[in-house]
Amino acid sequence: MMNEDGYMEQEEEYNREAILDPAWEKQQRKTFTAWCNSHLRKAGTQIESIEEDFRNGLKLMLLLEVISGETLPKPDRGKMRFHKIANVNKALEFIERKGVRLVSIGAEEIVDGNVKMTLGMIWTIILRFAIQDISVEELTAKEGLLLWCQRKTAPYKNVNVQNFHLSFKDGLAFCALIHRHRPELIDYSKLSKENPMENLNTAFDVAEKHLDIPRMLDPEDMVNSAKPDERSVMAYVSSYYHAFSGAQQAETAANRICKVLKVNQENERLMEEYERMASDLLEWIRRTTPWLENRSTDNTLPGTQQKLEEFRDYRRKHKPPKLEEKARLETTFNTLQTRLRLSNRPAYLPTEGKMVSDIANAWKGLESAEKGFEEWLLSEMQRLERLDHLAQKFKHKCAIHEEWSHGKEDLLASAEFKQCKLNELKALKKKHEAFESDLAAHQDRVEQIAAIAQELNLLEYHDSPSVNARCQRICDQWDVLGTLTQKRRAALDEAERILERVDMLHLEFAKRAAPFNNWMDGAKEDLVDMFIVHTTEEIQGLIDAHEQFKQTLGEADKEFQSIMMLVQEVHSLCRQHSLKIAENPYTTLAAAEDIESKWTEVKQLVPQRDSTLQQEVLRQQNNERLRVQFARKAEVIGPWIENRLDAVASVGMKTKESLEQQMARLKGFERDVVQYRPNMDDLERFNQEVQEAMIFDNRHTRYTMETLRVGWEQLVTSTARSINEVENQILTRDSKGITQDQMEEFRKSFNHFDRDRTGNLDPKEFRASLVSLGYNIRDDKQGEADFQRIMSIVDPNRTGRVSFDCFLDFMTREATDTDTAEQVMQSFKILAGDKPFITAEILRRELPPDQAEYCIQRMAPYTGRDAAPGSLDYSSFSTALYGESDL
């Protein structure tokens, strides 16, 4: 494996004190000795003991000269220890110049005959000069050699190469490799998995006799070892690879076809995945949008709260997965278009109505329907709360009025005054005057009842019919009471000419008791009146008003005592003159005890009102705490989201930063977003507490939950989109072979002309960037035509914008080696033996099963005059691969 400095790292770092497995050491001694001798014999020499014969460094330097074809520095011919160390160091320095970084292997260990270090050094040489340059389907070294074995042995059902130890233990893999390339040397049908010794000896003998590959492995060691030494097997198998390297032309052709077909199959899979994901997402949007557009409720507070809970479930549970699906859909579409562009295929055009723009418009419609939905629900709840409060207040006032008016019609309609004495008539008249005063006092209450009913109708209260009916009954009764009062007053005036005597004490009591009684009724009504507030200032205003009321209780108590003194004086006169205590004819009060009981009730309601107001103070203080709690969290999360959005947008602006560094930064941002998610969840919980507490404003922060949600969704989408763009740039860079300096130059030029930092160039900016990079675009009709041709390449969808991916693809298009229809056609021609057609048998033999069947199903029959039975037309098939992308 090559590291960042261009060195090939050792497969592992050798531990000086570690003990090599005896069985593996034995296998490595034999294999590595045979491998070294297979090269040293070209120079007319060999080694007997691998740890002894390399100690002076002479044969080690000779081995490196033979396998590299280069001349090493002249060795020291002395026999002293420092001469040997100098020679070994020259060999090790030559190995390091070949791109191999040696770790834990020094010249002293080799000179001292350290077996483990010597075997490790030889293994490093084998890796560098025999295995490293092996390349199969973009895989190199060990992985490439393993893939080569798997490809060559794939047609043999009793061979399954997964590694370089147990997979070769029964010898069939070696025999299959020989039979695949030289079938005349081995009768493979006679071999059996039950005879590993026979299989191994057959393979080793044939390889030594006919392929000039020495016996590097011992059959007994392979069979008797629980796990053969992997390095020994790799060294021996690499000799097979190099022996058969001359037969690689057909394999290279097959590899090219496999590569092209693999790209085409993956593109078709991505197209199908895009269509399915687009259909599912559009269907979900179609079902969800009407629900969000519905602005109707059942006009009740519980029903509206249920709808708010359903909307919360939609925002927390249903929408986030669909937002992720939308991001994956865009990623799939961008990746597919990049892959088609890199493989010279036409751009993919989705089914009508499933374009990325169609999905974006549908999503925009969804968010348009969603916008304001939550605010509407909250305002609806506020309206219904106000309605509920007004309805309770209406019922309370109606109950008080109905209690007061009960029996008044019968009283006013009675004609008992015609049988009364003069003093009784005077009393009735005064009593009626008191009633008129009482009636006037109740006028405001009736008007309040009518006003509340009118407001309930305007606010569309759900039980408006019953409210209107009750209000109408009260108003009709009030009109009747007014008419009856006027008629009774006229009748009493008529009788007043006869009745003159008046009891002044009763009259005084009636005049003073009635207003006081009305005042107590009003005070009771105020003390039990319901209220709704939303701030501590509003509740403090109610408390102040209540304190002012309590300051009037002293004067009221004096009035109460004065009224009670009138009653006591009447009783005193009656007792003094032994008179019967008659009822007061001038008042509707049953007795003085009514005044006293009401006054007692008023004094008891005062501390109850104090308690109610204090409870509301505590509730408003808790609401303020919830506002501050939400504001503190929002003031932390809001700037964090804004900073992360700025950081994501800045990625790619630094031209000295590599794509991998940009990807690392973006991945770090993505992890930060995932790790920061619990803070958003906490804020959602705080927001729910605020809403459940019926809090509708917050003066402590400029952020709302909606703005933070939108910012969070924008951060998630922007991060995912940026990662996808960098991945596509890496894919373009690696497939085009762009160097880091070239990438920095392209990025620097792109950023220079992207003055508004949108990540896209408009046609004017793109044209200026081409001129700055040396393109000669004339200022005439021909020059405009040439520029429009270039724009059709970098902007196939005619969006009027050129992304950095398209800019990079255009800059590197003409300088890279890409597959073409002609190259694929020439590869098929090699497999067909220069014939204009190919057969299914050849395809199944040379290609993997799935790709062979892919070709057979899609190739048209060959219709030329020299057509053979079952012949297939590979020319039209190759052309179609680079034609319409729905092949």
Side-chain angles (χ1 to χ4, degrees):
M1 175 180 287
M2 302 297 290
N3 64 13
E4 295 179 353
D5 299 327
Y7 284 96
M8 186 187 78
E9 294 287 357
Q10 284 180 250
E11 191 172 74
E12 62 183 18
E13 179 176 337
Y14 291 96
N15 190 330
R16 299 171 184 271
E17 289 74 29
I19 300 176
L20 188 64
D21 182 88
W24 288 6
E25 178 182 343
K26 179 181 178 183
Q27 292 180 22
Q28 288 187 16
R29 280 172 179 269
K30 292 179 181 180
T31 303
F32 292 0
T33 300
W35 185 86
C36 292
N37 286 334
S38 71
H39 294 285
L40 288 173
R41 67 184 178 183
K42 299 175 185 177
T45 185
Q46 64 178 11
I47 60 172
E48 298 295 332
S49 173
I50 196 168
E51 71 271 23
E52 292 294 330
D53 293 348
F54 286 135
R55 291 180 63 182
N56 60 9
L58 297 177
K59 288 189 177 181
L60 178 60
M61 295 177 68
L62 181 59
L63 173 64
L64 292 173
E65 288 181 341
V66 171
I67 62 179
S68 68
E70 298 179 21
T71 302
L72 273 70
K74 185 177 180 180
D76 295 350
R77 292 297 178 180
K79 296 184 179 181
M80 301 296 289
R81 175 179 173 83
F82 73 90
H83 290 123
K84 298 178 181 180
I85 292 176
N87 290 335
V88 174
N89 274 326
K90 291 176 181 179
L92 297 181
E93 291 170 359
F94 177 80
I95 295 173
E96 289 194 338
R97 287 200 302 274
K98 292 300 179 180
V100 179
R101 176 170 289 173
L102 298 172
V103 181
S104 300
I105 299 178
E108 290 80 5
E109 283 85 358
I110 307 302
V111 173
D112 293 337
N114 185 312
V115 178
K116 185 177 188 300
M117 294 298 110
T118 302
L119 292 175
M121 178 190 68
I122 298 302
W123 171 243
T124 302
I125 294 173
I126 293 172
L127 277 178
R128 172 58 183 86
F129 295 98
I131 298 177
Q132 178 184 338
D133 294 332
I134 296 174
S135 176
V136 178
E137 289 190 6
E138 301 180 355
L139 298 178
T140 59
K142 178 180 178 181
E143 292 79 9
L145 183 59
L146 181 62
L147 179 59
W148 178 79
C149 294
Q150 292 171 341
R151 289 285 304 278
K152 293 302 180 181
T153 60
Y156 300 86
K157 296 183 179 180
N158 53 355
V159 177
N160 182 17
V161 178
Q162 298 297 327
N163 50 58
F164 286 110
H165 37 79
L166 298 178
S167 296
F168 288 84
K169 188 173 181 180
D170 59 6
L172 289 178
F174 294 114
C175 294
L177 290 174
I178 296 173
H179 183 267
R180 178 66 184 272
H181 296 90
R182 298 287 298 277
E184 74 278 6
L185 298 180
I186 293 180
D187 187 356
Y188 190 86
S189 62
K190 294 182 179 181
L191 301 178
S192 172
K193 197 175 184 72
E194 307 302 324
N195 300 318
M197 287 294 293
E198 180 183 346
N199 299 338
L200 290 167
N201 278 314
T202 298
F204 296 167
D205 291 340
V206 170
E208 185 174 26
K209 182 178 180 180
H210 297 282
L211 303 177
D212 197 26
I213 299 175
R215 293 174 70 96
M216 299 183 188
L217 299 175
D218 192 315
E220 288 79 13
D221 293 340
M222 290 288 293
V223 174
N224 297 331
S225 176
K227 180 182 179 183
D229 179 60
E230 183 182 57
R231 296 176 180 174
S232 300
V233 175
M234 282 181 64
Y236 186 58
V237 172
S238 69
S239 298
Y240 279 57
Y241 176 89
H242 292 293
F244 297 130
S245 60
Q248 292 299 308
Q249 186 178 13
E251 181 178 349
T252 301
N255 287 343
R256 180 179 292 278
I257 293 172
C258 292
K259 177 182 176 182
V260 171
L261 295 178
K262 183 178 180 181
V263 169
N264 219 61
Q265 290 171 316
E266 178 62 15
N267 289 344
E268 291 180 0
R269 185 191 67 78
L270 288 175
M271 293 176 193
E272 294 172 358
E273 181 179 357
Y274 175 86
E275 292 287 335
R276 177 186 58 77
M277 293 172 63
S279 298
D280 293 345
L281 184 57
L282 287 171
E283 176 61 20
W284 178 82
I285 293 174
R286 184 190 64 78
R287 294 195 313 267
T288 305
T289 302
W291 178 75
L292 291 173
E293 292 175 341
N294 183 13
R295 293 293 196 272
S296 62
T297 66
D298 60 357
N299 217 18
T300 65
L301 191 59
T304 306
Q305 289 173 336
Q306 176 63 30
K307 196 157 189 175
L308 178 61
E309 189 62 33
E310 292 172 358
F311 179 76
R312 288 175 183 153
D313 287 343
Y314 157 80
R315 292 302 300 268
R316 290 187 301 222
K317 299 178 182 178
H318 302 302
K319 185 182 178 184
K322 295 302 177 182
L323 182 65
E324 294 176 2
E325 288 181 18
K326 178 174 176 290
R328 287 199 302 271
L329 188 69
E330 295 175 353
T331 300
T332 299
F333 182 84
N334 293 335
T335 301
L336 175 59
Q337 298 294 43
T338 299
R339 291 177 63 88
L340 290 172
R341 212 168 45 242
L342 295 177
S343 58
N344 289 335
R345 270 68 165 183
Y348 166 60
L349 185 64
T351 306
E352 183 177 358
K354 296 181 182 178
M355 295 286 291
V356 172
S357 59
D358 296 327
I359 295 170
N361 290 334
W363 190 266
K364 184 177 180 181
L366 177 74
E367 291 186 329
S368 176
E370 178 185 323
K371 185 178 181 181
F373 187 84
E374 186 176 18
E375 287 82 359
W376 169 75
L377 280 175
L378 293 177
S379 64
E380 186 69 9
M381 288 177 60
Q382 191 173 9
R383 183 183 72 84
L384 292 173
E385 182 189 31
R386 169 68 176 166
L387 277 176
D388 188 68
H389 169 71
L390 288 174
Q392 294 298 327
K393 190 171 184 179
F394 175 83
K395 293 176 182 178
H396 179 66
K397 287 186 175 295
C398 286
I400 293 175
H401 175 79
E402 288 166 348
E403 180 183 1
W404 171 85
S405 63
H406 179 70
K408 293 294 191 295
E409 292 182 45
D410 296 336
L411 178 63
L412 292 173
S414 67
E416 81 284 359
F417 62 90
K418 294 181 179 180
Q419 287 78 32
C420 290
K421 299 178 181 179
L422 180 61
N423 63 330
E424 293 174 343
L425 181 61
K426 290 289 187 181
L428 285 176
K429 185 178 180 181
K430 296 300 180 181
K431 183 177 180 181
H432 185 70
E433 291 175 353
F435 172 77
E436 286 180 326
S437 177
D438 197 10
L439 186 67
H442 278 76
Q443 177 70 34
D444 290 338
R445 182 178 291 114
V446 174
E447 291 175 354
Q448 290 175 7
I449 291 172
I452 293 173
Q454 183 179 5
E455 186 173 0
L456 288 172
N457 280 282
L458 290 175
L459 294 177
E460 299 178 354
Y461 180 59
H462 68 93
D463 197 18
S464 293
S466 63
V467 169
N468 293 335
R470 191 172 186 181
C471 179
Q472 189 62 43
R473 288 196 302 271
I474 291 174
C475 291
D476 293 343
Q477 183 191 41
W478 185 257
D479 292 338
V480 171
L481 288 177
T483 301
L484 292 175
T485 301
Q486 292 176 1
K487 290 181 178 180
R488 186 173 180 82
R489 178 61 182 267
L492 290 175
D493 288 340
E494 180 68 22
E496 190 179 15
R497 291 178 290 122
I498 304 168
L499 304 175
E500 296 177 349
R501 194 168 180 178
V502 176
D503 189 342
M504 296 303 299
L505 289 176
H506 281 174
L507 180 60
E508 181 68 17
F509 175 85
K511 288 183 177 181
R512 298 183 63 177
F516 186 69
N517 183 62
N518 289 333
W519 176 86
M520 288 191 295
D521 287 341
K524 286 170 57 180
E525 183 177 348
D526 292 339
L527 289 173
V528 298
D529 189 23
M530 291 176 290
F531 56 84
I532 177 171
V533 295
H534 296 96
T535 64
T536 54
E537 290 78 5
E538 292 177 1
I539 188 61
Q540 187 59 48
L542 292 178
I543 292 175
D544 293 343
H546 183 62
E547 291 298 326
Q548 292 177 1
F549 168 76
K550 290 195 293 185
Q551 292 175 4
T552 66
L553 292 178
E555 292 297 325
D557 186 64
K558 292 180 181 179
E559 179 67 12
F560 170 74
Q561 296 298 334
S562 298
I563 293 173
M564 290 296 102
M565 287 295 294
L566 293 174
V567 175
Q568 293 172 6
E569 185 176 355
V570 169
H571 290 180
S572 175
L573 288 173
C574 291
R575 286 195 299 271
Q576 181 179 355
H577 301 282
S578 301
L579 299 175
K580 179 182 179 182
I581 300 177
E583 293 184 359
N584 192 331
Y586 304 111
T587 180
T588 58
L589 296 176
E593 288 77 9
D594 291 343
I595 299 293
E596 188 173 6
S597 64
K598 282 188 179 181
W599 176 246
T600 302
E601 186 177 357
V602 168
K603 290 192 291 185
Q604 291 174 347
L605 287 174
V606 170
Q608 294 178 11
R609 183 70 168 184
D610 287 334
S611 176
T612 301
L613 291 174
Q614 287 304 316
Q615 290 176 2
E616 183 62 24
V617 168
L618 294 178
R619 190 177 77 87
Q620 291 302 325
Q621 289 174 348
N622 182 64
N623 289 353
E624 187 68 11
R625 179 188 64 79
L626 291 176
R627 290 189 183 96
V628 173
Q629 175 182 258
F630 177 86
R632 289 175 179 172
K633 194 71 174 179
E635 289 298 325
V636 173
I637 293 177
W640 187 91
I641 293 176
E642 294 167 356
N643 292 337
R644 285 300 182 279
L645 281 171
D646 293 340
V648 170
S650 69
V651 173
M653 296 296 105
K654 300 179 180 178
T655 59
K656 293 297 183 181
E657 195 174 48
S658 69
L659 293 177
E660 285 74 9
Q661 291 172 329
Q662 295 178 28
M663 178 60 72
R665 287 180 61 195
L666 288 171
K667 288 293 185 181
F669 294 154
E670 187 175 45
R671 289 191 298 272
D672 291 345
V673 171
V674 173
Q675 293 171 0
Y676 205 75
R677 180 68 206 187
N679 292 281
M680 280 294 293
D681 294 338
D682 291 342
L683 192 62
E684 286 283 5
R685 189 177 67 255
F686 294 162
N687 184 59
Q688 181 176 351
E689 292 178 359
V690 168
Q691 292 181 346
E692 289 173 350
M694 306 300 289
I695 300 173
F696 304 103
D697 57 0
N698 193 337
R699 64 178 182 275
H700 300 293
T701 179
R702 59 192 174 95
Y703 295 103
T704 66
M705 195 66 238
E706 179 62 25
T707 59
L708 292 177
R709 289 194 192 109
V710 171
W712 181 262
E713 293 172 358
Q714 183 181 356
L715 176 60
V716 172
T717 303
S718 177
T719 303
R721 185 182 298 112
S722 298
I723 290 175
N724 178 247
E725 290 176 356
V726 176
E727 287 175 342
N728 288 336
Q729 292 172 22
I730 292 174
L731 180 61
T732 301
R733 181 199 65 189
D734 294 343
S735 63
K736 300 293 186 178
I738 303 172
T739 65
Q740 181 63 31
D741 291 339
Q742 289 175 318
M743 181 63 73
E744 291 179 0
E745 181 182 357
F746 293 148
R747 172 55 78 179
K748 184 176 180 181
S749 177
F750 186 89
N751 288 345
H752 175 73
F753 290 98
D754 182 19
R755 293 182 175 86
D756 53 2
R757 294 297 183 264
T758 62
N760 294 285
L761 300 181
D762 59 29
K764 183 178 180 180
E765 294 172 339
F766 177 60
R767 184 167 186 162
S769 69
L770 291 180
V771 174
S772 71
L773 291 172
Y775 277 81
N776 183 17
I777 301 177
R778 295 183 300 179
D779 191 12
D780 54 18
K781 291 185 177 180
Q782 182 60 40
E784 181 62 26
D786 292 340
F787 179 70
Q788 291 302 323
R789 178 184 57 79
I790 296 174
M791 282 299 296
S792 67
I793 297 174
V794 298
D795 185 18
N797 295 327
R798 297 186 178 182
T799 62
R801 300 186 302 275
V802 180
S803 67
F804 182 69
D805 288 349
C806 297
F807 177 83
L808 180 62
D809 179 63
F810 176 76
M811 290 292 104
T812 59
R813 177 183 290 269
E814 299 177 359
T816 57
D817 179 25
T818 58
D819 296 316
T820 65
E822 290 76 12
Q823 291 175 330
V824 176
M825 199 180 305
Q826 184 63 29
S827 299
F828 275 118
K829 187 175 182 180
I830 292 173
L831 295 185
D834 291 334
K835 296 178 181 179
F837 59 84
I838 197 168
T839 64
E841 180 183 359
I842 296 176
L843 290 172
R844 291 192 175 101
R845 183 177 71 241
E846 296 297 340
L847 300 180
D850 61 330
Q851 296 183 349
E853 294 303 323
Y854 181 84
C855 293
I856 293 169
Q857 293 174 7
R858 286 165 171 76
M859 279 189 183
Y862 179 70
T863 58
R865 289 180 296 177
D866 53 347
S871 58
L872 301 173
D873 185 357
Y874 60 76
S875 297
S876 62
F877 175 77
S878 301
T879 303
L881 281 177
Y882 291 87
E884 296 299 329
S885 59
D886 58 351
L887 173 66

